[in-house]
Amino acid sequence: MELLIGALFLAIWQSILFKNQNVGLSAILFVLPVLYITFRLLKGKIENKKALLISIPIVLLSITYFIFDNTVFKIINMIVIPLLYVIMIITATSNNQGKSMIFKIILMLIQPINYIGEVVKKGINLIFPKEEGSKEKHNIVKAVFFTIVIALIVIALLSSADSEFANLFGDIFDNLYLFSIPALVKEFFSIIIPFFYFAGFFMNMLDKDNGLKEFDEEEPKKKDGFTIYMMITALNVIYLLFCFIQIKSLFTIENIKYSSYARQGFFQLMVVSLINIVMILKATGKNLKETQKQAQYKKIICIMMLIFTLIIIISSFARMTIYQQNYGNTRLRILVDFTLITEMILLIPTAMYILKENINLMKVYFIIVVSMYCLVNFINIDYIIAKNNIDRYIETGKIDVDYLKRLDNTDTIEQLMRLHDTKFKYTSDNDYPDRSLVLNNKLDNYLVSKRDELNEKHTLAEFNLSRWKAKKVLEKFRYN
């Protein structure tokens, strides 16, 4: 009963919070009851209580919808938050294996469909408690329920296909002061479909035979490590040459001044560094056949690769820094910086794993990556981009106003107002003497459109702190 009530509440609540509305305060208002209901249902069935700590980044990421207005993270977090939620449940309720996690996540998301019949049965039993000789009554209720559902679907489809047919049913319901049939069907399914999914998800979560154990792996067979050792040794020789050139370039004044050095290679170097980490993990796997000498050799070549990887990451970071000094900040460039910093942090537990091999590396990696992802959500990346690019404009007279407009969110409004106050007096272009006037008009038009957008009515569920602040700032804005 508690399961069905929780599922019904969430189905209705999501319709109230999200239907035809922007996501804002609604995200945290939905996530908190989801977690509360989940914890109540899992009470006494949790094998790993530490897994529930994953609820912390889930809550933090949902809060960003209330604080910031970054469209990119809003979209990404619609995937990341449910993904973390499913991982939390899997790790809390089963002895998972790292390699089978992807299969378990997919299974956890798909399996609720198989419980639709069980949800219907529970619903009928809740309304009509089972008694002797009540089988026929249950069959009648079931028949009526499915008949109504099918009838509503067919009427909705036929109403869409024929306007006369739609008017016939529309008039009947208008006379009763009710919704039109298509609207009624839409309202019905906007609640009933999520209800069945939530209920099926919770049933699957609590079902001991839900299939998650199918992917628990047996002890892996030992493999010969010669191939991986040979690959790492060869790569180390290549990296030795490459790193020598990189160090020479980084500390040579003549080279570091040229933006052409920075323009090439930072993405490739970032990918190479990621490949190296994967190679090290492969080499340090516990399913390799090796003698004591081979184990010592493995540690040496893996540590060497780790050092080369660090140099490659530093080189990539240096290239990106020089590139941003010359061409300004963008989301992609800032995210590359964060990825490289994350890789540097990941090297620390990797080194510990190579030398001691007594830490759960996948768990440490997960904690670091999730922590860094939460951090990048909270640093207000678009504000930093706008501020740095405007600071750069004041120093150099160069700015891409069109890019700042394309960020298109209220996180940048305060800085755009600062840019507006400069009147573009730092712009200098002999070939285009009216450029400052053009840039000023572009910015003015954008700020006016943003002010008009923010003055539209919004519900409490859509409330966003960044948009509220921007509205206050733009109230003082006057079009020149």
Side-chain angles (χ1 to χ4, degrees):
M1 182 174 175
E2 188 177 30
L3 185 151
L4 292 181
I5 292 172
L8 183 59
F9 169 78
L10 292 178
I12 296 170
W13 191 229
Q14 64 82 28
S15 182
I16 293 169
L17 291 175
F18 301 121
K19 189 178 178 185
N20 301 323
Q21 299 177 87
N22 295 321
V23 183
L25 181 62
S26 52
I28 187 64
L29 291 178
F30 183 70
V31 163
L32 289 177
V34 168
L35 292 173
Y36 174 75
I37 291 168
T38 303
F39 293 160
R40 276 190 67 88
L41 293 174
L42 286 176
K43 195 172 182 181
K45 298 178 177 65
I46 297 171
E47 295 182 18
N48 177 18
K49 289 186 178 180
K50 288 182 180 178
L52 299 182
L53 293 173
I54 298 175
S55 62
I56 295 172
I58 291 172
V59 171
L60 289 174
L61 292 176
S62 63
I63 289 172
T64 60
Y65 285 92
F66 162 66
I67 300 175
F68 306 112
D69 192 33
N70 189 308
T71 310
V72 173
F73 283 127
K74 281 183 177 181
I75 295 169
I76 295 173
N77 287 339
M78 285 180 184
I79 300 169
V80 173
I81 292 173
L83 189 63
L84 287 174
Y85 174 69
V86 173
I87 291 172
M88 179 185 73
I89 292 171
I90 293 171
T91 51
T93 57
S94 64
N95 297 316
N96 68 295
Q97 300 290 329
K99 290 181 181 178
S100 65
M101 180 59 76
I102 294 173
F103 297 102
K104 289 184 177 182
I105 290 169
I106 295 170
L107 194 65
M108 196 82 180
L109 293 172
I110 294 173
Q111 282 275 50
I113 299 168
N114 296 333
Y115 288 81
I116 292 175
E118 193 68 27
V119 174
V120 173
K121 280 184 186 177
K122 277 188 176 288
I124 292 171
N125 290 335
L126 185 63
I127 299 169
F128 303 101
K130 204 165 187 181
E131 299 171 2
E132 285 187 25
S134 63
K135 190 174 181 183
E136 188 178 343
K137 187 193 290 185
H138 279 77
N139 289 336
I140 292 170
V141 171
K142 190 189 294 186
V144 170
F145 174 79
F146 282 112
T147 301
I148 292 171
V149 170
I150 294 297
L152 286 172
I153 293 171
V154 171
I155 290 171
L157 292 171
L158 292 176
S159 297
S160 300
D162 188 281
S163 58
E164 290 295 324
F165 188 81
N167 290 333
L168 172 65
F169 282 91
D171 291 339
I172 292 171
F173 281 91
D174 285 340
N175 292 333
L176 295 173
Y177 301 100
L178 293 174
F179 298 110
S180 66
I181 281 292
L184 186 64
V185 171
K186 191 176 178 183
E187 289 289 337
F188 176 74
F189 281 102
S190 69
I191 293 174
I192 202 68
I193 291 174
F195 165 71
F196 274 109
Y197 186 82
F198 288 134
F201 184 91
F202 291 143
M203 284 183 183
N204 180 51
M205 177 180 76
L206 299 174
D207 189 355
K208 290 182 180 179
D209 301 318
N210 59 12
L212 291 183
K213 307 255 191 262
E214 291 177 19
F215 293 100
D216 286 344
E217 298 167 355
E218 298 176 0
E219 192 69 30
K221 294 179 181 179
K222 295 283 184 181
K223 297 178 182 177
D224 184 63
F226 178 75
T227 303
I228 192 73
Y229 298 159
M230 187 174 179
M231 288 171 66
I232 292 179
T233 303
L235 286 174
N236 278 344
V237 174
I238 296 169
Y239 292 149
L240 180 62
L241 178 61
F242 180 81
C243 288
F244 173 75
I245 296 169
Q246 290 300 294
I247 292 169
K248 184 180 176 183
S249 299
L250 281 173
F251 295 101
T252 304
I253 296 173
E254 289 80 11
N255 282 343
I256 205 164
K257 285 182 178 178
Y258 295 106
S259 60
S260 58
Y261 166 78
R263 190 181 292 122
Q264 299 173 352
F266 43 73
F267 288 115
Q268 293 92 324
L269 293 179
M270 183 179 70
V271 173
V272 166
S273 61
L274 286 170
I275 291 170
N276 289 352
I277 291 174
V278 173
M279 293 283 288
I280 290 168
L281 292 177
K282 281 283 185 185
T284 52
K286 294 178 181 179
N287 62 334
L288 296 177
K289 293 186 212 173
E290 58 187 8
T291 63
Q292 190 174 356
K293 284 186 177 179
Q294 286 175 328
Q296 289 294 328
Y297 177 71
K298 176 185 73 175
K299 285 185 178 181
I300 293 169
I301 60 172
C302 284
I303 289 294
M304 284 177 64
M305 178 168 267
L306 211 63
I307 294 167
F308 291 142
T309 302
L310 179 61
I311 295 171
I312 288 170
I313 291 171
I314 293 170
S315 175
S316 183
F317 196 87
R319 286 171 184 259
M320 180 55 78
T321 302
I322 297 167
Y323 191 73
Q324 289 182 96
Q325 287 171 352
N326 282 275
Y327 298 101
N329 292 151
T330 65
R331 278 177 184 158
L332 183 59
R333 293 165 195 170
I334 295 288
L335 291 175
V336 167
D337 285 341
F338 250 82
T339 303
L340 293 170
I341 292 168
T342 304
E343 284 186 58
M344 285 186 191
I345 297 171
L346 291 176
L347 294 181
I348 298 170
T350 306
M352 292 169 63
Y353 182 75
I354 292 169
L355 296 172
K356 295 183 180 178
E357 297 188 3
N358 61 350
I359 63 171
N360 189 329
L361 197 57
M362 289 299 103
K363 187 184 289 185
V364 175
Y365 276 5
F366 178 79
I367 293 169
I368 291 171
V369 170
V370 171
S371 299
M372 291 299 289
Y373 181 74
C374 288
L375 180 61
V376 78
N377 269 264
F378 274 89
I379 64 168
N380 201 350
I381 187 172
D382 287 348
Y383 177 88
I384 292 171
I385 290 167
K387 183 180 183 305
N388 289 348
N389 284 355
I390 292 166
D391 288 344
R392 179 174 169 270
Y393 165 68
I394 293 170
E395 291 177 10
T396 65
K398 298 176 182 178
I399 194 165
D400 186 349
V401 174
D402 289 329
Y403 178 76
L404 294 180
K405 284 168 55 185
R406 284 199 301 276
L407 293 176
D408 195 29
N409 64 61
T410 54
D411 293 342
T412 63
I413 293 297
E414 184 183 337
Q415 288 301 315
L416 290 179
M417 287 296 292
R418 183 165 75 98
L419 178 62
H420 176 266
D421 292 341
T422 67
K423 305 296 182 186
F424 290 91
K425 63 184 178 183
Y426 300 100
T427 303
S428 56
D429 193 336
N430 295 328
D431 297 329
Y432 196 173
D434 296 328
R435 186 166 178 265
S436 59
L437 183 62
V438 171
L439 293 176
N440 198 57
N441 287 337
K442 276 185 179 181
L443 184 57
D444 281 352
N445 291 334
Y446 174 75
L447 292 173
V448 168
S449 67
K450 211 67 185 171
R451 183 179 63 189
D452 294 342
E453 178 191 322
L454 292 172
N455 283 332
E456 295 173 4
K457 288 185 178 179
H458 296 282
T459 64
L460 179 62
E462 294 178 289
F463 182 78
N464 176 274
L465 196 59
S466 174
R467 294 174 71 84
W468 179 77
K469 286 181 179 178
K471 184 178 179 180
K472 294 295 180 185
V473 170
L474 289 173
E475 281 176 357
K476 303 172 185 176
F477 171 71
R478 294 291 177 269
Y479 184 76
N480 292 331

